[in-house]
Amino acid sequence: MFDEDQLPLLEVRGLSKQFGGVQVLKGVDLQVRSGEVHCVMGQNGAGKSTLIKTLSGVYEPDGGVILWEGQEVSLPHPTEALGLGIATMYQELDVVDGLTVTENIFLGHENASGGILRVREANALTRELLKRLGHSRLSPSAEVGSLSAANKQIVSLARALSRDTKLIIMDEPSAILDSGEVANLFRVIRELTAQGIAVVYISHRLEEIRQIGDRISVLKDGKSTASGLQVAETSRSELVRLMTGRDVENVFPPRHPPSPDAPVVLDVEDLELQGEFRKVSFHIKAGEILGFAGLVGSKRSEILETICGVRKPTSGRISVNGKRLRPGSVPAAVKAGIGLSPEERKSQGLILDEPVFKNVTLSTFERFARGGYLNEKAERDAARDQITALELRPADPDRPTRTLSGGNQQKILLARWVVHGTPVLLLDEPTRGVDVGARAEIYTLIRRLAADGAAIIVVSSEIEEVLGLADKVLVIDDGNVLVETNPSDIDEHGVLDLIMKGSAA
Amino acid sequence: AVGALVTGCTPGDEGGDSQPTNASVEGNEAEGDTVVIGFSGPAADHGWLGAINSAALAAAEDLPDVELRVAEGTNDANLQISQVEQFINDGVDAIVLLPTDGAALTQVATQATEAGIPVINVDREFSSPSAARATVLGDNYGMGVSAGNYICEKLGGNNDAVVAEIAGVDSLPLTQDRSRGFADALESCGLDVDNRVAADFTIAGGEATTSQLLSAAPKIDAIWNHDDDQGIGVLAAIDNAGRDEFFMVGGAGSANAMREIQSGESVLEATVIYPSTQAADGIRLARLIAQDKAMSDLVEVEVPKRIVLNAPVVTQENVEQYLPTAFES
Amino acid sequence: MSEPNTTVADPTNTPPGGSGARNNPVKNALGGSAGRSLGLVLALGLLFAVGAITSGDRFLNVENLLTILRYASIIGVISIGVTFVITAGGIDLSVGSVMGLATVVASLTSIQLAATQSSWLLMVLVALAVGAGVGLLNGVVIAYGNVVAFIATLATLVGARGLAELISGRSTQIVTNRDFLKVMRGEFLGIPVLVWIFILAAAVGWFLLNRTTFGRRTVAIGGNREASRLAGIKVKRHLVALYVLSGFSAGIAAVMMLGRTTAGTSTHGLLYELDAIAAVVVGGTLLAGGRGTIMGTVLGVLIFATLTNIFTQNNLDTSVQAIVKGMIIVVAVLLQQRFASARPSKRGG
Amino acid sequence: MSEPNTTVADPTNTPPGGSGARNNPVKNALGGSAGRSLGLVLALGLLFAVGAITSGDRFLNVENLLTILRYASIIGVISIGVTFVITAGGIDLSVGSVMGLATVVASLTSIQLAATQSSWLLMVLVALAVGAGVGLLNGVVIAYGNVVAFIATLATLVGARGLAELISGRSTQIVTNRDFLKVMRGEFLGIPVLVWIFILAAAVGWFLLNRTTFGRRTVAIGGNREASRLAGIKVKRHLVALYVLSGFSAGIAAVMMLGRTTAGTSTHGLLYELDAIAAVVVGGTLLAGGRGTIMGTVLGVLIFATLTNIFTQNNLDTSVQAIVKGMIIVVAVLLQQRFASARPSKRGG
Ligand SMILES: Nc1ncnc2c1ncn2[C@@H]1O[C@H](COP(=O)(O)OP(=O)(O)OP(=O)(O)O)[C@@H](O)[C@H]1O
Ligand SMILES: Nc1ncnc2c1ncn2[C@@H]1O[C@H](COP(=O)(O)OP(=O)(O)OP(=O)(O)O)[C@@H](O)[C@H]1O
Ligand SMILES: [Mg+2]
Ligand SMILES: [Mg+2]
């Protein structure tokens, strides 16, 4: 593993950074040693991503020092960081959609002689890398834009590995991975640390930290509240307190199962989209939460997208409150009361340069208008209510959405449909990248919405989350519904077993 | 460069403030009171218009009592109107206007005239005769006729002869007039236009359309090219295709074209003059009008209302006579 | 695009003012737009200073200012329409051609005859209908045919000009309807009708963009088309409406042009698309979409008009004018950016 | 009558991305590009059929095909440069002006004199230097000044034209250097030198875009500028290089233009920017960046050139030409999209 007394590979002292007058980092300390997995923890908006971006040359810090192998360095451009041997997997997927897997992996350090690409060599290296990551099924010449978010993450990881690095920073790599993929990732991380490479690992999933981490540093509101704690010696509750300043007890709030005579709100019959999924049937009652469990790429998103009209099904029917829905039309679905919180919040969900409140009211602003004239005050007030209710940080409706942390951006998407009051909510990965505190809040919120009579579908790659949240679970594999079951009748292993058997069959 | 004069009817000016003095005939060159003349013309986006501009500037330079105010060359009627409005606001003594579109500038010219500022209309005619104090025109229809007559003479009797025409910008009335004159003249000797293309008054356009034309028409007897500036490109294309079974007549009369004619080795045998000195003449007229002078060689005590410049044909015989005043395109 | 942190400092919709300003929508928005346009106001001020210094009273008098405004008004109305399209992430290269076509159709002998027999408004209606009609075509091809806006409207640019030539037989058609000319060339409260139309268009445009659901949809689609679609906005239909709007404003401009030049011709509006886009982008509307400002557009148009006016006043050589114009475009954008990013970030109070 | 498109259509016959093809990079890439360009090849074939039917042998003969190619070559070279800029998500509106300026400077009496005393290559070097120099200016203003490319190059469009007028005194400068003319107007293996330059530029451009780190990074920057920066690419420096490249190709075009027209003038290259952009985008390069195809650009240029040729052959009225051209642009893009989306998506198995 690592040597207690060795010189730290990377040392950060008193780092500070502000954006347009907002102090985001207010004195951060960090020490990373070769061969360790150093976890950085903190709530949404604590400054983790900002910290690692100053270490990878994206932002220049305003104050503090960065020492690399004992030498003070300045990193004005990512090139310098990469040159030192710092590779980063960013929280926002940083791949180029129009390029292939190989092209993305070797972007910026292409295999070339005299500027001329050696394509075959690069493809061979890519194949090797993907094999090492357990993804030999991915083709090096596949266009990255056609891959799922999870596979893009794999590409991102492969890219980090393709460089000659001493330190790999991973900003929430597991957020879009399912449990199988996470195990795979951990295997790779262990290989890396065995070779003496250091890993800085950021995640909101505390169990992961326990599994993979060696030491932990905690940030709260841009300040270090702990630095270099031993994982083994730090309790979960202490961690939570360091991050949030309070105690978070029960993650999953108590269930309120719908009354048996509650009306069916969403009824899906034999829904089929050729080439994607087959014969999907289920119904959800008012107040019920349905969970989709499955591996990444099992077409759960496609099912949600078809229900809300983004895609047109080849056959089958969808009814809301007994009324048949016109297929393939989002406005019709929204009008009928279906709201989708999409998987990729930045590209599909949010207008990043617009203020928070306009994103909150994106599907409801018509409501605040008379004869087309928008009453922006009423609109902002309505948005503010939800912002307060969801404890968005900062609770400023006029803040450009881009400047919010990932978890807070996720809350905006929920707020949008809460304001709308849709009876059917489709939530694709609603807690991706959300911290423990906010996660509990979102769970509570989802339950509350259900209790208020909404019919909800939750898709998550964390099987535990699906099981903990849903009243009813569909296990889905490769576009097939394997089973509809009660969450109390199955556990994580059961789901995975089912999927293994399903694939074998 | 004023080849010949066609005097229109005498203006029905009420006189008012513009009392014609019995200016002495010799006094025209003599320095008078300094007059401010506003000049606005189209964008110099082809050689002839460039020459028009340069000649106007040179004319003003030559006249110490003229202060010329030049507006940005433009193809936008809206902008040109605002330039004239500015001249009116400033109270210039006369305006020389080569409109992007005659009709579109008529109202503002009328406004200027009403404000007591004489307007000299150059090349593209206003839609109302009362908008201008004087009009200087090239003879576009006459150009076509001259070119057609020359070709008729050369090809006389051969009714199967293939005649091609390379026009300028088709949307300009002057191009339409030229083509009309050309067709009319050809008709009189039993010929017609077999292939017609329109370039865009640019060298590159001339080259491009001509190379297309040459490959569309395998045998040609005569070509009339409306414009010597685009003619540089036309000749380049002909040269490139290695064709010389025909002769060509040019238009406008650039120095370059005349040198080609002079050499006697080019397919270009003749060119029909379209004076590039119109604006310069306009400025000279404007000065005379503003200073209440008359034209030296006329008995008339006022500057005529309408001057149409001749469209003579330049050939190898008479090229010496025209070369010195020709414009370098 | 640039450093991520500059994007953040970029203005969005709210005033630098505290929560007090927020309750007054007019003040609020004016403050915001003006703040964003500070660089432009400065550039315009600078130009005025240059004009006053170099030409003195000849520049600084009501008549000359009205001359600038009259000139600016036509391209101004077009630019306001284009602002909407660009804000939504599209582009309309056809506006100049469409304006030309509309002047031709509205001044056809038959139309003018009918107008004389009924009302001059007929000519107006025809021009507006042509503009909106071509806009509809653009919109449908772009939204439902999925043709890139640049190419679709480039095709219309070429095609509409050809159609205008064909219809007019390439000749200029004189407007003879006296009522039409009287209204369009008239004044109201000492200000030309053309300028009133511009003012009105700017006011309506501002209101539409900043105070209505139509404007909100426009900005949203420009900011993130996919997110807007998933939120239930009818993106395609709205895009069509935007191109109709842009064509419609070209139709208004055609009416103005007919009044100003008393002639309809296919050569009207040549290269207006570039002038309009330049004014819009110099004004601060993002070419990539997602942010639009009518006030900026108006300022952009005025800057170019004033520039041209000063050039004429100062008798600069046309070639030098072109060079200076090129430099000023760049400087205006640089100034505008400086001020946009230097502005205090707008935290609510 | 022989199918003229068979030669062009040949590479399409390779299946796009069969497992066999994957191991042969050249064949693979050709198959990919051609597959993507199938609609264009078809459109071109259709045009050839129309030409052959309406004009018969007058259209389908070597001389006429060379006429088309010679005509296409100049705009073709410019379009190849522009393809790079657009692929990277930029735009260059100045290419036409820059070409005009370069012809003027290279044909100045003093330069021609010096060229006569030394070598005709001097004129070539001067033209290339002017092109690259203005490109550098564009690049720096865009990359380091953060001015939107549309506006920065619009400013250059205006400014360079003015400079060209100023330098030339608005007169046309005739090229007198016989060596220069002999080379540029000559032939090689029966094919005009101009066409060879076009072929060479296309080949180099293709190689550069598809087979070098430069091309790869160009695509990456167009696809996701931020991600490219994070991957360690010096985005600004690369952007400057791209605008230099685009200016440089305008310089090459200037040399060709000088040879073809034997004259340098500020009016050369008017509106070439729109023609070039139209060809590039019709060719399938994404205007938003992230995907570029040299083969598509070449096909786009050829389509427009063939179209013009057919119009002339058939003695069509220019207004009708404009309308038909507008329609064909839209149809070509629609066709191209149809085939691009029908193409099997290349997901790895
Ligand atoms: N470019 C920026 N401009 C202004 N503020 C910013 C910018 N980037 C981040 N912030 C702010 O800085 C704070 C820290 O953000 P950061 O993304 O570093 O948080 P994080 O700890 O990574 O959160 P998460 O767990 O949600 O990813 C947040 O309040 C955010 O709003
Ligand atoms: N083996 C694979 N190789 C390449 N791409 C794959 C593979 N499996 C799935 N994909 C990609 O995954 C996408 C399907 O994933 P989809 O979004 O339907 O799954 P999901 O269950 O919704 O995933 P998530 O849990 O991430 O929401 C397809 O677009 C496909 O490109
Ligand atoms: Mg983060
Ligand atoms: Mg998915």
Side-chain angles (χ1 to χ4, degrees):
Chain A
M1 290 283 267
F2 61 92
D3 174 5
E4 284 289 331
D5 315 313
Q6 85 194 78
L7 186 72
L9 176 67
L10 174 78
E11 183 168 3
V12 168
R13 283 196 221 124
L15 209 66
S16 65
K17 173 74 188 167
Q18 65 169 27
F19 291 114
V22 183
Q23 193 77 33
V24 173
L25 299 183
K26 306 167 186 163
V28 175
D29 304 319
L30 182 70
Q31 274 195 5
V32 183
R33 301 199 180 103
S34 294
E36 73 163 331
V37 177
H38 196 111
C39 298
V40 176
M41 311 217 46
Q43 277 185 288
N44 292 132
K48 303 179 297 293
S49 297
T50 307
L51 169 66
I52 65 114
K53 282 184 178 171
T54 59
L55 300 180
S56 55
V58 180
Y59 299 149
E60 276 194 87
D62 306 324
V65 289
I66 302 173
L67 301 172
W68 179 255
E69 295 177 332
Q71 302 285 313
E72 186 169 346
V73 290
S74 95
L75 305 166
H77 189 274
T79 320
E80 277 79 17
L82 290 165
L84 291 179
I86 305 175
T88 309
M89 293 169 67
Y90 295 92
Q91 183 172 14
E92 307 82 25
L93 287 167
D94 54 344
V95 291
V96 182
D97 279 350
L99 297 182
T100 66
V101 171
T102 304
E103 289 166 352
N104 264 290
I105 290 176
F106 290 101
L107 189 61
H109 62 126
E110 297 85 356
N111 300 75
S113 21
I116 296 166
L117 297 165
R118 296 197 303 266
V119 177
R120 218 176 307 175
E121 187 183 314
N123 276 336
L125 285 172
T126 302
R127 226 167 271 129
E128 231 168 81
L129 273 171
L130 291 174
K131 202 167 142 207
R132 182 169 157 206
L133 295 177
H135 281 267
S136 30
R137 276 191 313 164
L138 266 178
S139 159
S141 56
E143 215 169 278
V144 163
S146 70
L147 300 183
S148 64
N151 281 324
K152 288 179 183 174
Q153 189 71 274
I154 304 296
V155 172
S156 210
L157 176 59
R159 176 197 285 177
L161 294 182
S162 70
R163 297 200 179 245
D164 187 16
T165 53
K166 295 180 178 163
L167 169 65
I168 299 183
I169 304 175
M170 302 182 177
D171 195 353
E172 299 194 37
S174 59
I176 46 178
L177 299 179
D178 60 43
S179 44
E181 290 293 349
V182 172
N184 210 354
L185 174 69
F186 286 179
R187 182 180 52 76
V188 175
I189 291 179
R190 289 199 182 96
E191 268 176 48
L192 291 171
T193 47
Q195 295 164 24
I197 295 174
V199 172
V200 168
Y201 189 90
I202 299 176
S203 173
H204 290 293
R205 301 183 187 167
L206 298 180
E207 326 75 61
E208 289 181 357
I209 306 300
R210 281 214 175 279
Q211 279 182 46
I212 194 73
D214 296 315
R215 297 195 303 160
I216 303 175
S217 293
V218 183
L219 291 187
K220 180 171 184 298
D221 297 332
K223 272 197 288 261
S224 292
T225 50
S227 197
L229 300 177
Q230 295 292 335
V231 167
E233 296 157 16
T234 314
S235 72
R236 183 184 187 282
S237 55
E238 188 185 345
L239 260 184
V240 171
R241 212 169 319 110
L242 282 169
M243 285 193 284
T244 62
R246 63 195 160 102
D247 293 316
V248 177
E249 289 303 327
N250 242 333
V251 176
F252 294 107
R255 256 178 252 269
H256 307 283
S259 66
D261 55 342
V264 169
V265 179
L266 179 69
D267 190 8
V268 173
E269 265 178 85
D270 291 335
L271 199 66
E272 186 160 331
L273 179 59
Q274 225 152 51
E276 300 288 351
F277 55 85
R278 284 153 297 275
K279 300 273 174 205
V280 175
S281 301
F282 58 84
H283 58 84
I284 317 177
K285 291 186 210 161
E288 195 171 31
I289 301 175
L290 175 68
F292 284 4
L295 297 184
V296 166
S298 53
K299 311 293 182 190
R300 296 162 301 175
S301 298
E302 279 73 5
I303 297 173
L304 293 195
E305 285 173 1
T306 309
I307 293 171
C308 84
V310 178
R311 296 161 185 260
K312 198 167 179 168
T314 30
S315 66
R317 53 164 70 201
I318 305 160
S319 320
V320 180
N321 287 327
K323 274 224 293 278
R324 178 111 186 240
L325 182 69
R326 181 153 68 89
S329 158
V330 182
V334 170
K335 199 159 165 234
I338 299 178
L340 171 73
S341 158
E343 183 175 15
E344 291 184 38
R345 58 178 170 252
K346 291 205 173 175
S347 65
Q348 301 179 302
L350 296 168
I351 307 173
L352 292 171
D353 288 324
E354 287 281 68
V356 169
F357 83 91
K358 290 188 184 175
N359 273 295
V360 169
T361 58
L362 188 63
S363 45
T364 42
F365 61 82
E366 309 267 359
R367 214 178 274 169
F368 304 97
R370 223 174 332 125
Y373 172 76
L374 257 177
N375 182 346
E376 213 171 278
K377 186 180 177 302
E379 184 191 351
R380 191 188 269 105
D381 288 346
R384 195 199 303 273
D385 289 347
Q386 282 312 320
I387 288 170
T388 315
L390 297 184
E391 296 183 43
L392 206 70
R393 276 175 293 269
D396 175 6
D398 293 308
R399 186 68 107 95
T401 308
R402 183 185 292 285
T403 65
L404 262 67
S405 69
N408 283 303
Q409 291 182 351
Q410 187 64 50
K411 287 188 192 168
I412 294 177
L413 286 179
L414 279 178
R416 175 181 301 166
W417 297 112
V418 176
V419 171
H420 194 284
T422 46
V424 182
L425 264 173
L426 315 180
L427 310 179
D428 202 351
E429 308 283 4
T431 62
R432 172 178 295 175
V434 174
D435 69 47
V436 258
R439 192 176 283 239
E441 288 162 16
I442 289 176
Y443 293 153
T444 312
L445 178 74
I446 292 174
R447 282 272 167 77
R448 199 183 78 209
L449 289 169
D452 290 350
I456 299 174
I457 302 179
V458 174
V459 170
S460 172
S461 297
E462 290 176 64
I463 295 172
E464 188 200 355
E465 182 172 286
V466 176
L467 297 181
L469 208 52
D471 302 310
K472 201 159 85 179
V473 174
L474 293 191
V475 180
I476 296 172
D477 179 50
D478 194 22
N480 293 307
V481 178
L482 297 181
V483 75
E484 179 179 329
T485 173
N486 200 307
S488 51
D489 299 343
I490 197 164
D491 63 2
E492 191 166 340
H493 286 291
V495 171
L496 288 174
D497 280 350
L498 264 174
I499 291 171
M500 290 309 150
K501 265 186 257 155
S503 323
Chain B
V2 181
L5 299 175
V6 178
T7 331
C9 52
T10 335
D13 238 14
E14 280 111 293
D17 47 7
S18 74
Q19 303 271 335
T21 51
N22 286 331
S24 79
V25 170
E26 294 77 30
N28 276 0
E29 291 301 322
E31 213 171 309
D33 297 339
T34 296
V35 289
V36 180
I37 298 174
F39 171 60
S40 167
D45 53 14
H46 73 87
W48 185 82
L49 279 171
I52 275 276
N53 251 312
S54 309
L57 292 179
E61 199 91 322
D62 281 350
L63 300 165
D65 51 356
V66 166
E67 187 195 323
L68 190 66
R69 205 163 286 162
V70 186
E72 180 188 349
T74 176
N75 294 329
D76 173 16
N78 179 27
L79 174 55
Q80 205 174 21
I81 288 173
S82 91
Q83 292 171 342
V84 177
E85 285 173 350
Q86 246 179 296
F87 290 148
I88 299 173
N89 293 344
D90 294 351
V92 296
D93 297 302
I95 296 171
V96 178
L97 191 60
L98 202 173
T100 59
D101 183 299
L105 270 290
T106 302
Q107 278 302 323
V108 77
T110 308
Q111 239 168 283
T113 304
E114 280 165 1
I117 301 171
V119 178
I120 288 73
N121 180 198
V122 175
D123 190 40
R124 300 177 191 173
E125 230 179 330
F126 294 145
S127 56
S128 153
S130 61
R133 165 62 185 80
T135 304
V136 184
L137 296 174
D139 186 1
N140 285 301
Y141 181 82
M143 269 180 89
V145 171
S146 297
N149 285 342
Y150 183 86
I151 289 173
C152 275
E153 243 169 68
K154 297 275 292 192
L155 297 179
N158 177 5
N159 281 0
D160 302 325
V162 178
V163 179
E165 181 184 3
I166 302 168
V169 178
D170 255 345
S171 58
L172 291 176
L174 66 91
T175 297
Q176 294 153 27
D177 288 346
R178 288 176 191 185
S179 289
R180 209 156 34 80
F182 188 55
D184 289 351
L186 288 184
E187 199 185 345
S188 67
C189 66
L191 288 172
D192 59 359
V193 178
D194 297 279
N195 290 80
R196 185 179 184 285
V197 289
D200 49 8
F201 278 140
T202 67
I203 298 173
E207 208 280 344
T209 39
T210 307
S211 56
Q212 313 274 8
L213 170 76
L214 292 178
S215 73
K219 192 195 161 293
I220 300 174
D221 293 290
I223 297 179
W224 181 41
N225 166 44
H226 284 207
D227 181 72
D228 286 338
D229 198 51
Q230 76 185 18
I232 295 173
V234 171
L235 286 173
I238 292 170
D239 190 35
N240 221 18
R243 298 270 290 266
D244 60 359
E245 81 276 10
F246 50 78
F247 67 92
M248 184 163 97
V249 181
S254 73
N256 190 55
M258 291 190 194
R259 280 191 289 267
E260 288 277 340
I261 294 168
Q262 202 173 22
S263 75
E265 288 159 10
S266 170
V267 290
L268 187 65
E269 281 188 0
T271 187
V272 191
I273 283 188
Y274 191 75
S276 65
T277 48
Q278 295 179 49
D281 288 335
I283 283 166
R284 285 176 165 271
L285 289 186
R287 168 177 168 268
L288 294 183
I289 291 166
Q291 294 179 342
D292 290 332
K293 290 176 178 166
M295 287 176 69
S296 329
D297 295 331
L298 297 187
V299 183
E300 169 65 50
V301 293
E302 280 195 34
V303 170
K305 181 106 173 113
R306 189 177 161 86
I307 298 169
V308 180
L309 306 170
N310 197 12
V313 178
V314 179
T315 61
Q316 206 179 353
E317 282 82 62
N318 62 4
V319 63
E320 264 82 28
Q321 186 190 334
Y322 290 96
L323 195 46
T325 54
F327 68 96
E328 295 287 347
S329 67
Chain C
M1 299 267 138
S2 54
E3 302 286 280
N5 50 329
T6 56
T7 339
V8 174
D10 251 24
T12 323
N13 264 351
T14 27
S19 49
R22 187 164 301 150
N23 296 330
N24 180 340
V26 174
K27 200 176 155 200
N28 189 0
L30 279 178
S33 300
R36 214 179 312 155
S37 310
L38 192 58
L40 292 176
V41 175
L42 249 137
L44 189 60
L46 215 75
L47 274 182
F48 263 78
V50 170
I53 290 164
T54 55
S55 317
D57 288 347
R58 267 196 305 137
F59 177 79
L60 269 190
N61 64 63
V62 177
E63 254 324 302
N64 190 46
L65 297 187
L66 283 183
T67 298
I68 295 179
L69 282 175
R70 258 197 309 261
Y71 166 58
S73 61
I74 295 180
I75 196 80
V77 169
I78 290 186
S79 303
I80 285 164
V82 171
T83 304
F84 279 84
V85 171
I86 293 184
T87 301
I91 198 146
D92 192 346
L93 295 178
S94 72
V95 281
S97 277
V98 172
M99 185 192 93
L101 177 64
T103 66
V104 165
V105 177
S107 64
L108 280 174
T109 323
S110 54
I111 303 286
Q112 291 211 49
L113 205 71
T116 318
Q117 282 156 5
S118 53
S119 156
W120 60 275
L121 278 170
L122 182 71
M123 289 174 64
V124 176
L125 288 180
V126 168
L128 298 183
V130 170
V134 181
L136 182 67
L137 188 78
N138 277 338
V140 169
V141 170
I142 292 164
Y144 293 95
N146 281 321
V147 175
V148 209
F150 191 96
I151 289 296
T153 58
L154 182 63
T156 310
L157 180 162
V158 178
R161 183 85 57 203
L163 192 62
E165 285 180 6
L166 205 66
I167 292 176
S168 67
R170 291 214 193 76
S171 66
T172 304
Q173 300 163 174
I174 315 248
V175 176
T176 50
N177 190 305
R178 285 183 183 280
D179 294 338
F180 177 85
L181 291 180
K182 211 170 117 196
V183 174
M184 297 307 301
R185 301 178 65 81
E187 294 194 346
F188 179 65
L189 302 178
I191 292 175
V193 168
L194 289 188
V195 178
W196 276 117
I197 296 179
F198 180 29
I199 294 172
L200 211 72
V204 171
W206 181 88
F207 184 80
L208 203 58
L209 188 60
N210 297 294
R211 286 287 166 268
T212 68
T213 53
F214 185 88
R216 175 63 61 80
R217 275 197 294 271
T218 306
V219 178
I221 290 171
N224 189 338
R225 187 168 161 168
E226 182 64 9
S228 304
R229 189 169 84 101
L230 292 180
I233 294 175
K234 294 172 182 164
V235 173
K236 297 196 175 202
R237 195 195 288 180
H238 190 77
L239 282 179
V240 172
L242 285 170
Y243 286 94
V244 170
L245 177 68
S246 164
F248 185 80
S249 56
I252 301 179
V255 173
M256 298 165 79
M257 196 72 172
L258 280 175
R260 185 154 159 86
T261 66
T262 71
T265 157
S266 58
T267 61
H268 276 339
L270 225 64
L271 295 186
Y272 273 31
E273 54 281 353
L274 288 187
D275 285 350
I277 296 170
V280 170
V281 181
V282 163
T285 295
L286 278 189
L287 201 54
R291 192 178 75 199
T293 148
I294 296 289
M295 192 172 280
T297 296
V298 170
L299 285 167
V301 169
L302 290 181
I303 284 175
F304 283 116
T306 308
L307 197 64
T308 310
N309 187 277
I310 292 176
F311 281 148
T312 309
Q313 296 279 5
N314 286 292
N315 202 17
L316 271 187
D317 183 74
T318 319
S319 333
V320 180
Q321 289 189 20
I323 300 171
V324 175
K325 197 164 168 180
M327 293 194 307
I328 290 198
I329 295 177
V330 170
V331 171
V333 171
L334 282 176
L335 260 180
Q336 207 249 338
Q337 280 181 343
R338 200 80 355 150
F339 281 89
S341 60
R343 231 169 45 90
S345 107
K346 7 90 358 109
R347 302 292 315 276
Chain D
M1 120 198 100
S2 75
E3 285 289 356
N5 56 336
T6 46
T7 41
V8 190
D10 215 26
T12 33
N13 294 340
T14 28
S19 52
R22 186 164 304 144
N23 298 328
N24 179 341
V26 174
K27 206 175 152 195
N28 190 6
L30 278 178
S33 301
R36 221 174 305 156
S37 310
L38 191 58
L40 292 176
V41 175
L42 250 139
L44 190 59
L46 214 76
L47 274 183
F48 264 78
V50 170
I53 290 164
T54 55
S55 317
D57 287 347
R58 265 193 309 134
F59 178 80
L60 269 190
N61 65 63
V62 178
E63 251 328 299
N64 191 47
L65 297 188
L66 284 183
T67 299
I68 295 178
L69 282 174
R70 255 197 313 262
Y71 171 62
S73 61
I74 296 180
I75 196 81
V77 169
I78 291 186
S79 303
I80 285 164
V82 170
T83 304
F84 279 84
V85 171
I86 294 185
T87 301
I91 198 146
D92 191 347
L93 294 178
S94 71
V95 281
S97 277
V98 172
M99 186 192 91
L101 177 64
T103 66
V104 165
V105 178
S107 64
L108 279 175
T109 322
S110 54
I111 303 285
Q112 291 212 49
L113 204 71
T116 317
Q117 282 157 5
S118 54
S119 155
W120 60 275
L121 279 170
L122 182 72
M123 289 174 63
V124 176
L125 289 180
V126 168
L128 298 183
V130 170
V134 180
L136 182 67
L137 187 78
N138 277 338
V140 169
V141 170
I142 292 164
Y144 294 95
N146 279 321
V147 176
V148 209
F150 190 97
I151 289 296
T153 59
L154 182 64
T156 310
L157 180 160
V158 177
R161 184 84 57 205
L163 193 61
E165 283 180 12
L166 203 67
I167 292 176
S168 67
R170 287 211 200 81
S171 71
T172 304
Q173 299 163 176
I174 312 270
V175 176
T176 51
N177 190 305
R178 286 187 181 276
D179 293 339
F180 178 84
L181 290 179
K182 212 171 114 196
V183 173
M184 297 308 300
R185 301 174 68 79
E187 294 194 348
F188 179 66
L189 302 178
I191 292 175
V193 168
L194 290 187
V195 179
W196 276 117
I197 297 179
F198 180 28
I199 294 173
L200 209 73
V204 171
W206 182 87
F207 186 80
L208 203 59
L209 188 61
N210 297 294
R211 286 286 167 269
T212 67
T213 50
F214 183 85
R216 180 63 50 77
R217 291 172 182 195
T218 304
V219 178
I221 290 171
N224 189 337
R225 186 167 161 169
E226 185 58 19
S228 303
R229 196 175 95 90
L230 296 180
I233 295 174
K234 304 258 181 187
V235 173
K236 296 192 177 200
R237 199 193 289 175
H238 193 89
L239 282 179
V240 172
L242 284 169
Y243 286 93
V244 170
L245 177 68
S246 164
F248 185 79
S249 57
I252 301 178
V255 173
M256 299 166 79
M257 197 72 172
L258 281 174
R260 186 157 155 87
T261 65
T262 71
T265 156
S266 58
T267 64
H268 276 337
L270 226 64
L271 293 186
Y272 275 31
E273 56 280 352
L274 287 186
D275 284 350
I277 295 170
V280 170
V281 181
V282 164
T285 295
L286 280 189
L287 200 56
R291 193 179 74 201
T293 148
I294 297 290
M295 192 173 281
T297 296
V298 170
L299 285 168
V301 170
L302 290 181
I303 285 176
F304 284 116
T306 308
L307 199 63
T308 310
N309 186 274
I310 292 176
F311 283 145
T312 313
Q313 294 279 2
N314 288 293
N315 226 348
L316 270 188
D317 184 66
T318 39
S319 340
V320 180
Q321 286 190 23
I323 299 171
V324 175
K325 197 165 167 183
M327 293 193 309
I328 289 199
I329 294 177
V330 171
V331 171
V333 171
L334 282 176
L335 262 179
Q336 206 248 340
Q337 278 180 343
R338 200 81 353 150
F339 282 89
S341 62
R343 177 177 66 103
S345 98
K346 37 177 214 163
R347 187 166 307 148

